[in-house]
């Protein structure tokens, strides 16, 4: 593969300067002294600790103004976000510049104003590259953060993990994943947040307005330490074009899901969900758990979509993933998530045939456009009569179709990047032409036996807007020719209360993660012995996953894990991990969280709530109630976002982080909050008419007599409706 085999120099450095794991390591943030106990670090690492501590203290000291740090600009070794085209008027440019300068005293305005103006005109946004830290960004052990409370330190750890170059898609633009999923809008915000967190007490809450730290406000020890909102725009003004202007002005931000809530854990966060999706797709469409020799074709190897390669192999099938951008393709290959890479489409077809024949699990990255791949597979079928693909989907970032989320087949990658800024209208037209071609090929292959689903990335929504043939005759507002994966595959799992539960070991020690893996598997095995067959299948899938998780080397960034669990499982796992922290089996606190893509966390009519058919799919009460309810039931921090997954204006979603420090108070918070965090969504799904949710919430009420949910009465005779309406 020649050039494709060359490893990025920055990435080599990123891996080489990571500290090794350790058993117990504590640092006094007041004195800077350190001790190692049973430390297994090499001797020279201890010498680095004062330097790390010094750099962290500098990072947390606020904005460096005297002197200003040198302006290094963009690092050419890193991947960078596409240039944005907000189309600001002259007055709006002045306002954007004025808004950026208000973070700084007038004495430095003359220096900063010209470079901020240049960033705005050159990149479409003011990122403030001058203030990008030189410290290697990564999740450090929690005791190394100069904070007054461990709750604040845990938030710092999660923020730095989101911006780790091994984790983040465009680290210098503060984008974690999805092409535009921001952690913050600019580097001044990052530095101010770190400063506030370092000074925070347990009687203060950090208030975050779309990346901007409004400040520390007095609160109770039981209150969240941070309240985050992203993109809270008046509904009539929540259009894509207006977003581009507001982001350029620095007044709002697209936080995706776990980018702006600081809870992203790298592509592992979606590997498990993708594996479950592929497994359950095989059960539903192919009638088998055995996916050996079956071919799954899709696209995207970025922040979230990068999980597809690993998930396909774990599921036992042949995953073929197209990616136009060489940087993420190479990154996944270097990380070992992608087994093979080719830019030759004929070689790609040959390897599909070979793996299919030998029934060998394979992840194959095709460096090229997904439309070319679909059309070549169709040509192969028309020539030979052999259908080489069984399952198909798409994970391009179509929530952001005209600014780097989707690349039209008519253009090479660099040409597309140029055209989207020089002639946005022509680029938009070419994207829509490409989508129509893609759907045309998929339609013909599904007629031949391919099973295709929408992965909740707005693929079918944007294809419909482009005029492609995706309409479902007689379908509702959220239905297309092909189902979303929630409608056909994962929706029933959500209705049973299962969703993506995750945790992060703040020690940074891989052995702590192994202990928590064993705790989680043991808890699920005990619970799974006394459940119905339908629920037992979900438990068994997750027990197998967690027992095998270490073998698959999925940790990128923080020592984190994810699995799908129902309400009882989440509570029991959290309590067991908290006890392990208390008795020293786990050496430091653990942060629990979840993806916003969950039972209760997200109202998204074209994804998470696409199987809600009572007319409420476009309502957002569930996500907002979840955010509020988590806040007063014990979450360490909570977040509520406009956008995420399907795109700006298409979804409301929220999430949380909760620190398990081994205390009785942490156990009480976890039990109360996690029960609500699941029951809220199951109750809503029950009210919409979902029978799985009805049975699940009924059983939950029997176990918890304090829970009382309004249950629906179904209309048993439609003739009653007919007679009433005819009269």
């Amino acid at each position: 593969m020649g050039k494709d085999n060359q490893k990025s120099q920055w990435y080599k450095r990123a891996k080489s300067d990571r500290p090794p794991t350790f058993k117990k390591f504590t640092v006094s943030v007041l004195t800077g002294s350190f001790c190692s106990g049973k430390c297994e670090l090499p001797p020279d690492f201890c010498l680095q600790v004062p330097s790390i501590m010094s750099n962290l203290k500098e990072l947390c000291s606020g904005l460096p103004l005297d002197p200003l740090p040198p302006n290094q600009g963009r690092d050419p070794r890193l991947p960078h976000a596409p240039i944005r085209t907000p189309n600001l008027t002259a007055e709006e440019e002045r306002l954007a510049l004025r808004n950026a300068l208000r973070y700084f005293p007038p004495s430095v305005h003359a220096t900063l104003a010209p470079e901020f103006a240049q960033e705005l005109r050159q990149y479409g946004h003011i990122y403030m590259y001058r203030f990008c830290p030189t410290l290697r960004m990564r999740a450090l052990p929690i005791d190394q953060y100069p904070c007054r409370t461990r709750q604040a330190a845990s938030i710092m750890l999660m923020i730095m993990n989101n911006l780790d170059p091994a984790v983040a898609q465009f680290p210098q633009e503060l984008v974690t994943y999805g092409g535009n999923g921001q952690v913050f809008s600019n580097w001044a915000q990052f530095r101010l947040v770190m400063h506030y967190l370092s000074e925070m007490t347990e009687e203060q809450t950090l208030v975050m307005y779309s990346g901007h730290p409004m400040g520390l406000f007095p609160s109770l020890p039981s209150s969240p330490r941070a309240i985050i909102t992203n993109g809270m725009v008046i509904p009539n003004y929540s259009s894509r074009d207006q977003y581009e202007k507001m982001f350029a002005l620095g007044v709002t931000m697209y936080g995706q899901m776990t980018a702006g809530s600081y809870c992203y854990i790298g592509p592992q966060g979606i590997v498990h969900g993708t594996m479950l999706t592929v497994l359950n797709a095989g059960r539903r469409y192919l009638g088998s758990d055995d996916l050996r020799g079956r071919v799954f074709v899709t696209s995207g190897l970025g922040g979230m979509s990068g999980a597809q390669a690993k998930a396909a192999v774990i599921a036992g099938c042949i995953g073929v993933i197209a990616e136009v951008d060489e940087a993420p393709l190479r990154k996944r290959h270097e990380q070992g998530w992608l087994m093979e890479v080719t830019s030759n489409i004929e070689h790609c077809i040959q390897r599909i045939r070979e793996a299919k024949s030998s029934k060998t699990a394979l992840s194959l990255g095709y460096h090229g456009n997904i439309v070319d791949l679909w059309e070549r597979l169709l040509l192969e079928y028309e020539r030979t009569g052999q259908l080489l693909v069984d399952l198909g989907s798409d994970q391009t970032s179509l929530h952001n179709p005209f600014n780097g989320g989707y690349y039209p087949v008519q253009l090479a990658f660099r040409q597309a990047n140029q055209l989207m800024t020089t002639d946005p209208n022509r680029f938009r037209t070419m994207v829509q032409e490409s989508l129509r071609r893609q759907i045309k090929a998929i339609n013909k292959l599904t007629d031949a036996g391919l099973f295709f689903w929408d992965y909740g990335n707005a693929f079918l929504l944007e294809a419909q807007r482009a005029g492609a043939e995706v309409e479902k005759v007689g379908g509702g507002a959220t239905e297309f020719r092909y189902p979303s994966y929630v409608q056909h595959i994962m929706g029933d799992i959500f209705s049973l209360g299962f969703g993506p539960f995750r945790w992060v070991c703040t020690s940074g020690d891989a052995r702590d993660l192994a202990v928590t893996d064993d705790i989680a598997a043991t808890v699920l095995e005990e619970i799974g012995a006394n459940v119905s067959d339908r629920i037992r299948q979900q438990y068994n899938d997750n027990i197998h996953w967690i027992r095998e998780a270490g073998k698959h080397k999925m940790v990128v960034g923080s020592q984190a894990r994810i699995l799908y669990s129902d309400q009882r499982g989440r509570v029991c796992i959290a309590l067991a991990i908290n006890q392990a922290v208390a008795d020293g089996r786990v050496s430091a606190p653990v942060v629990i969280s979840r993806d916003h893509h969950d039972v209760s966390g997200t109202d998204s009519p074209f994804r998470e709530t696409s199987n809600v058919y009572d007319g409420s799919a476009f309502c957002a009460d569930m996500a907002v109630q979840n955010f509020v309810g988590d806040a007063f039931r014990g979450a360490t921090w909570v977040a509520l976002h406009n956008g995420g997954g399907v795109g700006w204006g298409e979804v409301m979603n929220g999430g949380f982080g909760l620190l398990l420090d081994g205390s009785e108070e942490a156990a009480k918070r976890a039990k109360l909050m996690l029960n609500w965090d699941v029951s809220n969504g199951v109750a809503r799904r029950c009210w919409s008419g979902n029978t799985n949710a009805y049975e699940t919430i009924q059983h939950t009420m029997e176990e918890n007599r304090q829970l009382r949910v309004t249950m629906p009465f179904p209309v048993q005779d439609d003739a009653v409706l007919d007679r009433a309406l005819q009269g």
Side-chain angles (χ1 to χ4, degrees):
M1 294 181 294
K3 181 180 177 183
D4 286 347
N5 277 334
Q6 296 174 7
K7 293 195 172 186
S8 306
Q9 293 303 308
W10 71 268
Y11 189 74
K12 284 183 178 179
R13 278 192 294 275
K15 290 195 291 187
S16 64
D17 69 357
R18 286 182 176 280
T21 58
F22 57 91
K23 182 60 182 173
K24 293 209 174 187
F25 189 73
T26 57
V27 181
S28 167
V29 299
L30 298 176
T31 66
S33 62
F34 56 91
C35 62
S36 56
K38 295 182 179 180
C39 182
E40 296 185 8
L41 295 169
D44 63 333
F45 181 72
C46 292
L47 301 176
Q48 301 174 23
V49 174
S51 174
I52 293 171
M53 294 298 298
S54 175
N55 288 335
L56 277 175
K57 287 180 179 178
E58 184 278 327
L59 191 66
C60 295
S61 63
L63 291 171
L65 300 174
D66 187 18
L68 288 170
N71 184 11
Q72 304 288 351
R74 282 190 169 193
D75 187 337
R77 300 169 298 175
L78 295 175
H80 291 283
I83 296 170
R84 311 189 74 90
T85 53
N87 297 317
L88 300 182
T89 65
E91 280 305 307
E92 287 168 339
E93 284 187 340
R94 289 178 63 86
L95 182 57
L97 192 56
R98 186 187 303 276
N99 287 348
L101 289 172
R102 60 185 166 178
Y103 285 102
F104 306 94
S107 58
V108 296
H109 285 185
T111 301
L112 298 179
E115 67 189 54
F116 287 176
Q118 182 182 2
E119 286 184 22
L120 181 62
R121 289 173 173 167
Q122 188 171 355
Y123 306 122
H125 188 72
I126 300 172
Y127 295 105
M128 306 185 185
Y129 291 113
R130 177 189 288 269
F131 297 95
C132 180
T134 57
L135 174 70
R136 169 72 172 84
M137 202 73 69
R138 63 176 182 263
L140 296 166
I142 191 170
D143 285 337
Q144 292 189 19
Y145 291 95
C147 295
R148 298 181 180 182
T149 165
R150 276 187 160 180
Q151 292 183 333
S154 70
I155 301 173
M156 281 184 167
L157 182 153
M158 300 291 278
I159 288 172
M160 290 185 67
N161 185 67
N162 269 25
L163 294 171
D164 183 339
V167 174
Q169 186 178 13
F170 306 124
Q172 276 203 298
E173 287 73 51
L174 304 108
V175 172
T176 300
Y177 70 92
N180 60 351
Q182 304 283 149
V183 185
F184 302 104
S185 181
N186 59 59
W187 285 105
Q189 293 174 348
F190 165 80
R191 286 180 176 269
L192 286 173
V193 166
M194 296 296 280
H195 176 61
Y196 280 133
L197 289 172
S198 71
E199 295 193 331
M200 173 190 287
T201 71
E202 291 189 354
E203 293 184 337
Q204 290 174 304
T205 293
L206 175 63
V207 176
M208 297 294 302
Y209 280 30
S210 292
H212 168 68
M214 191 57 69
L216 292 174
F217 291 79
S219 61
L220 299 171
S222 59
S223 303
R225 298 281 70 82
I227 301 283
I228 304 160
T229 53
N230 286 307
M232 295 293 107
V233 173
I234 304 302
N236 282 351
Y237 303 90
S238 190
S239 72
R240 190 175 284 154
D241 289 342
Q242 286 167 317
Y243 164 73
E244 291 295 340
K245 282 184 178 286
M246 286 186 280
F247 180 59
L249 291 174
V251 297
T252 197
M253 189 182 86
Y254 186 75
Q256 268 284 0
M257 289 191 162
T258 52
S261 67
Y262 321 145
C263 292
Y264 189 65
I265 60 168
Q268 179 196 173
I270 198 173
V271 168
H272 184 40
T274 305
M275 183 204 72
L276 288 177
T277 300
V278 174
L279 278 177
N280 285 289
R283 290 165 181 158
R284 181 180 181 108
Y285 299 135
L286 307 177
S288 176
D289 284 312
D290 186 357
L291 295 181
R292 289 176 298 175
R294 299 291 195 167
V295 178
F296 170 49
V297 171
T298 182
S299 59
L301 285 165
M304 296 291 281
S305 56
Q308 296 180 108
K310 194 77 162 178
V313 172
I314 295 172
C317 68
I318 300 152
V320 185
I321 307 98
E323 171 61 64
V324 294
D325 187 353
E326 184 181 4
L329 191 92
R330 183 184 299 175
K331 186 174 184 177
R332 299 303 172 214
H333 189 234
E334 290 171 3
Q335 289 173 337
W337 288 49
L338 191 63
M339 295 164 67
E340 297 180 18
V341 175
T342 182
S343 57
N344 185 313
I345 201 163
E346 297 307 318
H347 182 246
C348 184
I349 296 297
Q350 178 187 338
R351 287 297 293 128
I352 292 173
R353 284 188 176 280
E354 291 170 352
K356 193 173 178 69
S357 176
S358 64
K359 295 188 175 182
T360 303
L362 172 68
S363 55
L364 173 62
Y366 169 58
H367 184 201
N369 198 289
I370 183 61
V371 182
D372 285 328
L373 182 57
W374 281 122
E375 291 179 341
R376 180 62 184 85
L377 288 164
L378 175 60
L379 179 63
E380 190 71 11
Y381 173 73
E382 292 172 340
R383 283 177 177 175
T384 67
Q386 185 177 10
L387 184 64
L388 292 181
V389 54
D390 302 283
L391 303 171
S393 192
D394 186 279
Q395 276 202 44
T396 48
S397 296
L398 271 157
H399 65 275
N400 183 35
F402 310 121
N403 198 44
Y406 182 92
Y407 284 80
V409 67
Q410 308 95 309
L411 298 171
F413 181 65
R414 289 185 180 178
Q415 291 175 319
N417 279 328
Q418 291 171 351
L419 189 65
M420 75 176 71
T421 57
T422 58
D423 193 345
N425 289 333
R426 186 176 170 219
F427 182 78
R428 179 186 295 254
T429 298
M430 296 184 83
V431 164
Q432 293 182 330
E433 289 175 359
S434 184
L435 282 167
R436 291 194 294 271
R437 277 178 58 178
Q438 186 171 348
I439 288 293
K440 184 177 180 180
I442 290 169
N443 286 350
K444 290 183 177 181
L445 287 166
T446 56
D447 289 343
L450 163 70
F451 294 98
F452 186 90
W453 67 87
D454 182 283
Y455 222 116
N457 58 333
F459 174 66
L460 292 179
L461 181 63
E462 289 300 330
Q464 180 189 56
R465 290 168 176 168
E469 296 181 11
V470 295
E471 181 183 357
K472 180 180 180 180
V473 178
T478 63
E479 294 180 290
F480 297 99
R481 176 171 180 162
Y482 304 110
S484 80
Y485 75 117
V486 172
Q487 288 169 330
H488 265 203
I489 304 169
M490 299 300 284
D492 284 345
I493 295 174
F494 281 172
S495 297
L496 293 170
F498 284 84
F501 179 63
R502 57 178 61 166
W503 61 90
V504 175
C505 296
T506 67
S507 66
D509 190 337
R511 287 170 296 184
D512 278 346
L513 184 59
V515 171
T516 58
D517 282 349
D518 186 62
I519 288 171
T522 301
V523 166
L524 295 184
E525 286 166 349
E526 291 174 355
I527 297 174
N530 299 292
V531 295
S532 67
D533 289 343
R534 180 173 51 185
I535 294 177
R536 184 176 294 111
Q537 182 183 63
Q538 300 306 320
Y539 271 92
N540 288 342
D541 284 346
N542 283 279
I543 291 165
H544 177 73
W545 158 266
I546 205 73
R547 290 293 187 198
E548 296 287 310
K551 181 199 305 183
H552 292 295
K553 303 184 188 308
M554 287 175 296
V555 169
V556 178
S558 59
Q559 292 292 326
R561 188 67 75 223
I562 186 171
L563 57 76
Y564 268 53
S565 181
D566 60 358
Q567 180 171 325
R568 185 180 177 192
R570 297 186 207 202
V571 172
C572 291
I573 290 170
L575 295 180
I577 289 176
N578 189 63
Q579 184 58 45
V581 174
D583 61 30
R585 285 177 292 141
V586 174
S587 66
V590 172
V591 172
I592 59 171
S593 182
R594 58 160 169 76
D595 196 344
H596 297 198
H597 164 68
D598 195 16
V599 180
S600 307
T602 298
D603 282 297
S604 179
F606 297 103
R607 196 163 82 173
E608 284 81 357
T609 48
S610 60
N611 67 332
V612 170
Y613 301 114
D614 68 345
S616 70
F618 293 90
C619 300
D621 299 84
M622 179 178 71
V624 176
Q625 287 281 357
N626 225 65
F627 163 80
V628 175
D630 285 351
F632 68 73
R633 286 180 174 86
T636 305
W637 71 95
V638 289
L640 183 67
H641 299 181
N642 170 10
V646 183
W648 179 265
E650 304 286 358
V651 51
M652 292 290 287
N653 65 89
F656 72 87
L658 196 161
L659 186 69
L660 300 177
D661 60 6
S663 66
E664 291 183 6
E665 175 66 18
K668 179 181 176 181
R669 288 175 179 233
K671 185 175 181 180
L672 189 62
M673 198 215 72
L674 289 173
N675 276 313
W676 154 257
D677 194 66
V678 178
S679 283
N680 172 43
V682 178
R684 184 269 177 99
R685 293 168 192 276
C686 164
W687 185 247
S688 75
N690 187 288
T691 55
N692 284 338
Y694 187 102
E695 294 171 8
T696 301
I697 203 68
Q698 188 78 43
H699 180 70
T700 306
M701 284 193 289
E702 292 169 2
E703 290 189 332
N704 183 356
R705 294 297 178 182
Q706 286 188 300
L707 176 66
R708 298 179 64 185
V709 172
T710 305
M711 303 296 281
F713 292 99
V715 174
Q716 296 178 341
D717 183 3
D718 281 357
V720 172
L721 307 179
D722 296 335
R723 288 193 296 271
L725 293 171
Q726 287 170 0

